[in-house]
Protein backbone atom coordinates (compact mmCIF):
# COMPACT_ATOMS: atom_id res chain seq x y z
CA UNK A 1 0.00 0.00 0.00
CA UNK A 2 1.32 3.43 -0.93
CA UNK A 3 0.16 6.76 0.46
CA UNK A 4 1.05 10.14 -1.00
CA UNK A 5 -0.01 13.53 0.33
CA UNK A 6 0.81 16.96 -1.10
CA UNK A 7 3.77 15.68 -3.09
CA UNK A 8 6.36 15.80 -0.29
CA UNK A 9 9.47 13.96 -1.44
CA UNK A 10 12.95 13.92 0.08
CA UNK A 11 15.77 14.48 -2.37
CA UNK A 12 19.50 14.47 -1.70
CA UNK A 13 21.58 14.42 -4.87
CA UNK A 14 24.27 16.97 -5.61
CA UNK A 15 25.51 18.36 -8.86
CA UNK A 16 26.42 21.61 -10.58
CA UNK A 17 24.75 23.46 -13.43
CA UNK A 18 25.52 26.90 -14.78
CA UNK A 19 22.62 29.26 -14.15
CA UNK A 20 22.36 32.92 -13.21
CA UNK A 21 18.82 32.95 -11.85
CA UNK A 22 18.17 32.64 -8.07
CA UNK A 23 15.80 29.72 -8.66
CA UNK A 24 18.70 27.78 -10.10
CA UNK A 25 20.10 27.11 -6.62
CA UNK A 26 17.95 23.98 -6.82
CA UNK A 27 19.69 22.97 -10.03
CA UNK A 28 23.11 23.50 -8.49
CA UNK A 29 22.29 21.29 -5.52
CA UNK A 30 20.29 18.57 -7.25
CA UNK A 31 21.97 18.29 -10.60
CA UNK A 32 20.23 15.97 -13.05
CA UNK A 33 17.58 14.94 -10.52
CA UNK A 34 15.74 18.27 -10.84
CA UNK A 35 14.53 17.37 -14.34
CA UNK A 36 13.14 14.02 -13.15
CA UNK A 37 10.67 14.83 -10.35
CA UNK A 38 7.63 15.10 -12.60
CA UNK A 39 4.47 13.23 -11.73
CA UNK A 40 4.90 10.89 -14.71
CA UNK A 41 8.34 9.81 -13.52
CA UNK A 42 7.14 9.48 -9.93
CA UNK A 43 4.39 7.18 -11.17
CA UNK A 44 6.94 5.11 -13.07
CA UNK A 45 9.02 4.83 -9.91
CA UNK A 46 5.99 3.63 -7.97
CA UNK A 47 5.32 0.93 -10.52
CA UNK A 48 8.93 -0.22 -10.27
CA UNK A 49 8.50 -0.48 -6.49
CA UNK A 50 5.30 -2.47 -6.99
CA UNK A 51 7.15 -4.93 -9.20
CA UNK A 52 10.13 -5.21 -6.84
CA UNK A 53 7.76 -6.04 -3.99
CA UNK A 54 6.26 -8.83 -6.07
CA UNK A 55 2.80 -7.27 -6.03
CA UNK A 56 0.61 -7.89 -9.08
CA UNK A 57 -1.69 -5.00 -8.16
CA UNK A 58 -1.13 -1.66 -6.48
CA UNK A 59 -3.49 -0.53 -3.73
CA UNK A 60 -3.12 3.22 -3.31
CA UNK A 61 -4.39 6.05 -1.10
CA UNK A 62 -3.59 9.53 -2.40
CA UNK A 63 -4.57 12.87 -0.93
CA UNK A 64 -4.34 16.30 -2.59
CA UNK A 65 -1.39 16.17 -5.02
CA UNK A 66 -1.38 12.44 -4.33
CA UNK A 67 -4.62 12.25 -6.35
CA UNK A 68 -2.70 13.41 -9.41
CA UNK A 69 -0.18 10.65 -8.85
CA UNK A 70 -2.99 8.12 -8.54
CA UNK A 71 -4.89 9.37 -11.58
CA UNK A 72 -1.79 9.33 -13.77
CA UNK A 73 -0.87 5.86 -12.53
CA UNK A 74 -4.35 4.57 -13.37
CA UNK A 75 -4.06 5.96 -16.89
CA UNK A 76 -0.52 4.70 -17.53
CA UNK A 77 -0.71 1.32 -15.78
CA UNK A 78 -4.42 0.40 -15.65
CA UNK A 79 -3.60 -3.30 -15.68
CA UNK A 80 -1.81 -2.89 -12.34
CA UNK A 81 -4.55 -0.98 -10.52
CA UNK A 82 -5.86 -2.64 -7.39
CA UNK A 83 -8.00 -0.40 -5.16
CA UNK A 84 -7.43 3.35 -5.44
CA UNK A 85 -8.77 6.04 -3.09
CA UNK A 86 -8.22 9.62 -4.33
CA UNK A 87 -9.16 12.17 -1.66
CA UNK A 88 -9.26 15.92 -2.33
CA UNK A 89 -8.73 15.57 -6.05
CA UNK A 90 -7.23 17.83 -8.69
CA UNK A 91 -9.06 18.39 -11.98
CA UNK A 92 -6.66 16.92 -14.52
CA UNK A 93 -8.13 18.82 -17.47
CA UNK A 94 -7.33 22.26 -16.08
CA UNK A 95 -4.37 24.44 -16.99
CA UNK A 96 -2.13 25.97 -14.34
CA UNK A 97 -3.89 29.40 -14.49
CA UNK A 98 -7.28 27.70 -14.23
CA UNK A 99 -6.15 25.76 -11.17
CA UNK A 100 -4.85 28.93 -9.52
CA UNK A 101 -8.13 30.78 -10.11
CA UNK A 102 -10.05 27.77 -8.81
CA UNK A 103 -8.03 27.76 -5.61
CA UNK A 104 -8.52 31.51 -5.21
CA UNK A 105 -12.29 31.00 -5.27
CA UNK A 106 -12.00 28.02 -2.92
CA UNK A 107 -9.99 29.90 -0.30
CA UNK A 108 -12.26 32.92 -0.67
CA UNK A 109 -15.27 30.82 0.30
CA UNK A 110 -13.50 29.24 3.27
CA UNK A 111 -12.15 32.58 4.55
CA UNK A 112 -15.71 33.91 4.44
CA UNK A 113 -16.86 30.85 6.36
CA UNK A 114 -14.15 31.55 8.94
CA UNK A 115 -15.43 35.11 9.32
CA UNK A 116 -18.98 33.81 9.79
CA UNK A 117 -17.72 31.24 12.31
CA UNK A 118 -16.11 33.97 14.41
CA UNK A 119 -19.04 36.38 14.20
CA UNK A 120 -21.89 33.89 14.63
CA UNK A 121 -20.52 30.82 16.41
CA UNK A 122 -18.12 32.12 19.06
CA UNK A 123 -19.22 33.62 22.36
CA UNK A 124 -17.73 37.04 21.62
CA UNK A 125 -15.77 37.44 18.40
CA UNK A 126 -12.88 39.88 19.01
CA UNK A 127 -12.48 40.42 15.25
CA UNK A 128 -15.90 41.93 14.47
CA UNK A 129 -19.58 41.48 15.20
CA UNK A 130 -20.56 40.45 11.65
CA UNK A 131 -19.02 38.48 8.80
CA UNK A 132 -18.48 41.67 6.78
CA UNK A 133 -16.93 43.45 9.75
CA UNK A 134 -14.46 40.59 10.31
CA UNK A 135 -13.44 40.61 6.66
CA UNK A 136 -13.14 44.40 6.43
CA UNK A 137 -10.85 44.53 9.45
CA UNK A 138 -8.73 41.69 8.07
CA UNK A 139 -8.26 43.46 4.73
CA UNK A 140 -7.32 46.72 6.46
CA UNK A 141 -4.82 44.90 8.69
CA UNK A 142 -3.14 43.26 5.69
CA UNK A 143 -2.87 46.61 3.90
CA UNK A 144 -1.33 48.17 7.00
CA UNK A 145 1.28 45.42 7.30
CA UNK A 146 2.33 45.91 3.69
CA UNK A 147 3.48 49.39 4.69
CA UNK A 148 4.58 48.78 8.28
CA UNK A 149 5.30 45.28 9.70
CA UNK A 150 4.72 44.86 13.43
CA UNK A 151 6.80 43.43 16.27
CA UNK A 152 6.91 39.81 17.46
CA UNK A 153 8.66 38.12 20.35
CA UNK A 154 11.65 37.65 18.03
CA UNK A 155 13.48 40.99 17.71
CA UNK A 156 14.98 39.82 14.41
CA UNK A 157 11.64 38.98 12.76
CA UNK A 158 8.72 41.32 12.26
CA UNK A 159 5.30 40.19 11.09
CA UNK A 160 4.77 40.97 7.41
CA UNK A 161 1.77 40.77 5.12
CA UNK A 162 3.20 37.55 3.65
CA UNK A 163 3.30 35.92 7.08
CA UNK A 164 -0.39 36.66 7.64
CA UNK A 165 -1.42 35.27 4.25
CA UNK A 166 0.58 32.14 5.03
CA UNK A 167 -1.05 31.80 8.46
CA UNK A 168 -4.50 32.48 7.05
CA UNK A 169 -4.28 29.99 4.20
CA UNK A 170 -2.72 27.34 6.41
CA UNK A 171 -5.59 27.64 8.85
CA UNK A 172 -8.14 27.05 6.10
CA UNK A 173 -6.65 23.56 5.60
CA UNK A 174 -7.53 22.45 9.13
CA UNK A 175 -10.29 24.68 10.51
CA UNK A 176 -11.48 22.28 13.19
CA UNK A 177 -8.41 22.90 15.34
CA UNK A 178 -6.86 26.10 13.93
CA UNK A 179 -9.70 28.61 13.59
CA UNK A 180 -9.78 29.42 17.30
CA UNK A 181 -5.98 29.73 17.20
CA UNK A 182 -6.31 32.09 14.23
CA UNK A 183 -8.90 34.21 16.01
CA UNK A 184 -6.63 34.57 19.03
CA UNK A 185 -3.59 35.33 16.86
CA UNK A 186 -5.40 37.94 14.75
CA UNK A 187 -6.78 39.57 17.88
CA UNK A 188 -3.25 39.94 19.26
CA UNK A 189 -2.00 41.15 15.90
CA UNK A 190 -4.61 43.89 15.80
CA UNK A 191 -3.25 45.05 19.16
CA UNK A 192 0.29 45.24 17.81
CA UNK A 193 1.73 41.85 18.75
CA UNK A 194 2.40 39.62 15.73
CA UNK A 195 3.87 36.68 17.67
CA UNK A 196 0.89 34.37 17.29
CA UNK A 197 0.49 34.98 13.57
CA UNK A 198 4.20 34.48 13.00
CA UNK A 199 4.00 31.15 14.84
CA UNK A 200 1.05 30.13 12.67
CA UNK A 201 2.98 31.09 9.54
CA UNK A 202 5.96 29.04 10.70
CA UNK A 203 3.67 26.09 11.42
CA UNK A 204 2.25 26.20 7.90
CA UNK A 205 5.73 26.49 6.40
CA UNK A 206 7.11 23.66 8.58
CA UNK A 207 9.67 26.11 9.97
CA UNK A 208 11.37 25.08 13.20
CA UNK A 209 12.29 27.59 15.95
CA UNK A 210 15.95 27.43 14.91
CA UNK A 211 15.15 28.45 11.34
CA UNK A 212 15.44 24.99 9.82
CA UNK A 213 12.53 23.23 8.13
CA UNK A 214 11.04 19.87 9.05
CA UNK A 215 10.17 18.90 5.46
CA UNK A 216 10.83 20.01 1.91
CA UNK A 217 7.26 20.62 0.77
CA UNK A 218 7.76 24.30 -0.10
CA UNK A 219 10.73 23.31 -2.28
CA UNK A 220 9.12 20.23 -3.80
CA UNK A 221 6.02 22.07 -4.95
CA UNK A 222 7.63 24.33 -7.59
CA UNK A 223 10.10 21.65 -8.64
CA UNK A 224 7.29 19.24 -9.49
CA UNK A 225 4.80 21.82 -10.71
CA UNK A 226 7.18 23.46 -13.19
CA UNK A 227 7.72 20.11 -14.91
CA UNK A 228 4.07 19.06 -14.80
CA UNK A 229 2.80 22.41 -16.07
CA UNK A 230 5.51 24.04 -18.23
CA UNK A 231 5.40 27.82 -18.16
CA UNK A 232 3.04 29.48 -20.60
CA UNK A 233 3.14 33.30 -20.86
CA UNK A 234 0.20 35.06 -19.22
CA UNK A 235 -0.92 38.66 -19.30
CA UNK A 236 -0.13 39.44 -15.67
CA UNK A 237 -2.45 42.43 -15.38
CA UNK A 238 -5.39 40.50 -16.83
CA UNK A 239 -4.67 37.50 -14.66
CA UNK A 240 -4.47 39.63 -11.52
CA UNK A 241 -7.80 41.22 -12.41
CA UNK A 242 -9.33 37.78 -12.97
CA UNK A 243 -8.06 36.57 -9.58
CA UNK A 244 -9.53 39.58 -7.77
CA UNK A 245 -12.81 39.14 -9.64
CA UNK A 246 -12.97 35.48 -8.62
CA UNK A 247 -11.98 36.23 -5.02
CA UNK A 248 -12.30 39.86 -3.86
CA UNK A 249 -10.80 39.17 -0.42
CA UNK A 250 -7.90 36.81 -1.21
CA UNK A 251 -7.53 37.25 -4.96
CA UNK A 252 -4.76 39.81 -4.59
CA UNK A 253 -2.55 37.10 -3.05
CA UNK A 254 -3.33 34.63 -5.85
CA UNK A 255 -3.00 37.21 -8.62
CA UNK A 256 0.78 36.92 -8.63
CA UNK A 257 1.06 33.14 -8.42
CA UNK A 258 1.33 32.56 -12.17
CA UNK A 259 4.75 33.09 -13.69
CA UNK A 260 6.84 31.36 -11.06
CA UNK A 261 8.01 28.80 -13.61
CA UNK A 262 9.23 31.45 -16.06
CA UNK A 263 12.93 30.76 -16.53
CA UNK A 264 12.85 27.43 -14.69
CA UNK A 265 16.24 25.89 -15.55
CA UNK A 266 15.07 22.42 -16.61
CA UNK A 267 12.19 20.82 -18.48
CA UNK A 268 10.66 17.40 -18.11
CA UNK A 269 7.59 15.34 -18.91
CA UNK A 270 4.34 17.35 -18.66
CA UNK A 271 1.44 15.86 -16.76
CA UNK A 272 -1.02 13.99 -19.06
CA UNK A 273 -4.55 15.34 -19.27
CA UNK A 274 -6.13 12.36 -21.03
CA UNK A 275 -7.07 9.75 -18.44
CA UNK A 276 -9.27 7.67 -20.72
CA UNK A 277 -7.14 4.48 -20.41
CA UNK A 278 -8.28 4.33 -16.75
CA UNK A 279 -11.92 3.84 -17.79
CA UNK A 280 -11.48 0.06 -17.79
CA UNK A 281 -10.71 0.13 -14.05
CA UNK A 282 -13.09 2.92 -13.02
CA UNK A 283 -14.94 0.53 -10.69
CA UNK A 284 -11.69 0.06 -8.76
CA UNK A 285 -11.30 3.79 -8.05
CA UNK A 286 -13.02 5.79 -5.31
CA UNK A 287 -12.83 9.60 -5.55
CA UNK A 288 -13.61 11.65 -2.44
CA UNK A 289 -14.48 15.34 -2.29
CA UNK A 290 -15.03 17.81 0.56
CA UNK A 291 -17.81 20.35 0.08
CA UNK A 292 -15.81 23.28 1.47
CA UNK A 293 -12.29 22.22 0.58
CA UNK A 294 -10.32 25.42 -0.18
CA UNK A 295 -7.24 23.88 -1.79
CA UNK A 296 -8.97 21.32 -4.02
CA UNK A 297 -12.50 22.65 -4.59
CA UNK A 298 -15.17 19.97 -4.50
CA UNK A 299 -16.03 20.33 -8.18
CA UNK A 300 -12.49 19.18 -9.03
CA UNK A 301 -13.16 15.85 -7.30
CA UNK A 302 -16.49 15.47 -9.05
CA UNK A 303 -14.78 16.21 -12.38
CA UNK A 304 -11.94 13.75 -11.78
CA UNK A 305 -14.39 10.93 -11.11
CA UNK A 306 -15.85 11.57 -14.57
CA UNK A 307 -12.42 11.93 -16.20
CA UNK A 308 -11.49 8.49 -14.88
CA UNK A 309 -14.37 6.96 -16.80
CA UNK A 310 -17.03 7.15 -14.11
CA UNK A 311 -15.17 6.26 -10.91
CA UNK A 312 -17.25 5.96 -7.74
CA UNK A 313 -17.65 9.32 -6.00
CA UNK A 314 -18.53 10.15 -2.38
CA UNK A 315 -18.52 13.51 -0.62
CA UNK A 316 -17.86 14.86 2.86
CA UNK A 317 -20.12 17.82 3.64
CA UNK A 318 -17.49 19.52 5.77
CA UNK A 319 -14.65 22.04 5.88
CA UNK A 320 -10.90 21.79 5.40
CA UNK A 321 -8.57 20.04 3.00
CA UNK A 322 -9.34 16.35 2.26
CA UNK A 323 -11.95 14.21 3.99
CA UNK A 324 -10.49 10.95 5.30
CA UNK A 325 -10.10 11.10 9.11
CA UNK A 326 -11.49 14.62 9.13
CA UNK A 327 -14.45 14.16 11.44
CA UNK A 328 -16.89 11.88 9.64
CA UNK A 329 -17.04 8.23 10.76
CA UNK A 330 -19.66 7.74 8.04
CA UNK A 331 -17.12 8.56 5.36
CA UNK A 332 -14.17 6.86 7.07
CA UNK A 333 -16.08 3.56 7.25
CA UNK A 334 -16.93 3.71 3.55
CA UNK A 335 -13.32 4.38 2.59
CA UNK A 336 -12.02 1.62 4.87
CA UNK A 337 -14.50 -0.89 3.49
CA UNK A 338 -13.54 -0.05 -0.08
CA UNK A 339 -9.79 0.15 0.50
CA UNK A 340 -9.48 -2.99 2.59
CA UNK A 341 -12.25 -5.19 1.20
CA UNK A 342 -13.25 -3.70 -2.14
CA UNK A 343 -16.77 -2.87 -0.98
CA UNK A 344 -18.07 -0.13 -3.28
CA UNK A 345 -20.29 2.47 -1.55
CA UNK A 346 -23.84 2.23 -2.89
CA UNK A 347 -25.84 4.57 -0.62
CA UNK A 348 -25.41 7.82 1.28
CA UNK A 349 -23.03 9.38 -1.24
CA UNK A 350 -22.78 12.45 1.00
CA UNK A 351 -21.52 12.03 4.59
CA UNK A 352 -21.93 14.61 7.33
CA UNK A 353 -19.38 15.55 10.00
CA UNK A 354 -20.16 14.44 13.54
CA UNK A 355 -19.39 17.93 14.87
CA UNK A 356 -19.81 20.48 12.05
CA UNK A 357 -18.04 23.80 12.38
CA UNK A 358 -20.94 25.64 10.75
CA UNK A 359 -24.50 24.43 10.53
Amino acid sequence: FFQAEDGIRDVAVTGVQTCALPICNCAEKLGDLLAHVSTVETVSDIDILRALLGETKLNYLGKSYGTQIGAVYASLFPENVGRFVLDGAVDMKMTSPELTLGQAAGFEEEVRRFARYCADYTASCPLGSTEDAVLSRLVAFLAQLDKKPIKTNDPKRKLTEGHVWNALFGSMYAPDWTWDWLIESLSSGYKGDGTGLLEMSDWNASRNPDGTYSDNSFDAYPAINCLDYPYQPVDQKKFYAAAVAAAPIVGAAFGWMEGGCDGWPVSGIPIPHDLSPAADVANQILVVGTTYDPATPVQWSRNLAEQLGGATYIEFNGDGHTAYFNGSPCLDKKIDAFYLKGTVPTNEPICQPDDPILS
Side-chain angles (χ1 to χ4, degrees), residues 55-126:
E55 299 289 341
T56 57
K57 301 289 183 180
L58 174 71
N59 295 317
Y60 176 88
L61 167 63
K63 294 185 174 185
S64 193
Y65 166 68
T67 65
Q68 290 182 287
I69 294 174
V72 172
Y73 186 98
S75 67
L76 295 182
F77 302 101
E79 68 280 4
N80 298 335
V81 170
R83 294 186 293 275
F84 273 39
V85 176
L86 307 180
D87 180 8
V90 179
D91 187 327
M92 298 291 289
K93 296 287 187 183
M94 285 185 168
T95 64
S96 180
E98 289 171 339
L99 292 170
T100 299
L101 292 178
Q103 282 198 327
F107 276 98
E108 176 86 3
E109 181 175 30
E110 194 71 340
V111 168
R112 289 183 179 276
R113 286 175 65 79
F114 161 74
R116 182 153 63 92
Y117 166 79
C118 187
D120 296 346
Y121 290 83
T122 58
S124 180
C125 177

Side-chain angles (χ1 to χ4, degrees), residues 15 37 96 124 135 148 153 177 191 195 285 307 336 348:
V37 295
S96 180
S124 180
L135 294 172
K148 189 177 181 181
N153 63 353
W177 66 272
K191 297 173 185 176
T195 301
I285 302 173
Q307 292 162 14
D336 289 345
E348 296 182 42

Side-chain angles (χ1 to χ4, degrees), residues 48-348:
I48 290 171
L49 292 174
R50 175 203 58 77
L52 290 173
L53 290 170
E55 299 289 341
T56 57
K57 301 289 183 180
L58 174 71
N59 295 317
Y60 176 88
L61 167 63
K63 294 185 174 185
S64 193
Y65 166 68
T67 65
Q68 290 182 287
I69 294 174
V72 172
Y73 186 98
S75 67
L76 295 182
F77 302 101
E79 68 280 4
N80 298 335
V81 170
R83 294 186 293 275
F84 273 39
V85 176
L86 307 180
D87 180 8
V90 179
D91 187 327
M92 298 291 289
K93 296 287 187 183
M94 285 185 168
T95 64
S96 180
E98 289 171 339
L99 292 170
T100 299
L101 292 178
Q103 282 198 327
F107 276 98
E108 176 86 3
E109 181 175 30
E110 194 71 340
V111 168
R112 289 183 179 276
R113 286 175 65 79
F114 161 74
R116 182 153 63 92
Y117 166 79
C118 187
D120 296 346
Y121 290 83
T122 58
S124 180
C125 177
L127 310 182
S129 58
T130 66
E131 176 183 332
D132 287 342
V134 172
L135 294 172
S136 294
R137 193 173 186 186
L138 174 63
V139 170
F141 180 60
L142 286 162
Q144 167 195 323
L145 285 176
D146 186 41
K147 300 173 183 177
K148 189 177 181 181
I150 61 175
K151 68 178 182 178
T152 69
N153 63 353
D154 185 341
K156 297 181 180 180
R157 303 176 69 203
K158 288 189 175 182
L159 183 77
T160 67
E161 180 188 6
H163 289 132
V164 178
W165 282 121
N166 198 34
L168 183 69
F169 292 149
S171 182
M172 299 305 109
Y173 277 74
D176 56 331
W177 66 272
T178 66
W179 277 6
D180 289 338
W181 182 19
L182 180 59
I183 290 170
E184 180 182 353
S185 298
L186 282 171
S187 180
S188 296
Y190 294 166
K191 297 173 185 176
D193 181 2
T195 301
L197 287 166
L198 184 63
E199 290 175 347
M200 289 196 75
S201 176
D202 287 349
W203 155 74
N204 188 42
S206 302
R207 187 185 191 275
N208 300 316
D210 62 0
T212 61
Y213 291 81
S214 59
D215 64 53
N216 68 336
S217 54
F218 270 42
D219 298 319
Y221 179 80
I224 297 168
N225 196 59
C226 289
L227 299 184
D228 283 355
Y229 298 92
Y231 174 71
Q232 297 292 327
V234 296
D235 185 316
Q236 188 58 64
K237 289 184 178 180
K238 288 183 178 180
F239 185 80
Y240 180 85
V244 173
I249 302 296
V250 308
F254 283 85
W256 302 104
M257 288 187 180
E258 285 303 310
C261 295
D262 186 11
W264 194 255
V266 296
S267 59
I269 304 173
I271 201 163
H273 299 289
D274 180 11
L275 305 179
S276 58
D280 290 341
V281 292
N283 64 337
Q284 297 164 229
I285 302 173
L286 177 63
V287 180
V288 186
T290 298
T291 308
Y292 301 105
D293 189 325
T296 52
V298 67
Q299 190 59 47
W300 291 3
S301 294
R302 296 167 184 165
N303 292 348
L304 183 64
E306 294 181 3
Q307 292 162 14
L308 289 167
T312 302
Y313 175 76
I314 57 175
E315 189 169 311
F316 169 50
N317 185 29
D319 291 84
H321 183 41
T322 72
Y324 191 40
F325 285 114
N326 195 19
S328 176
C330 159
L331 182 130
D332 294 346
K333 290 176 182 177
K334 291 179 183 297
I335 292 177
D336 289 345
F338 175 83
Y339 196 47
L340 299 176
K341 300 178 181 179
T343 304
V344 178
T346 57
N347 56 10
E348 296 182 42

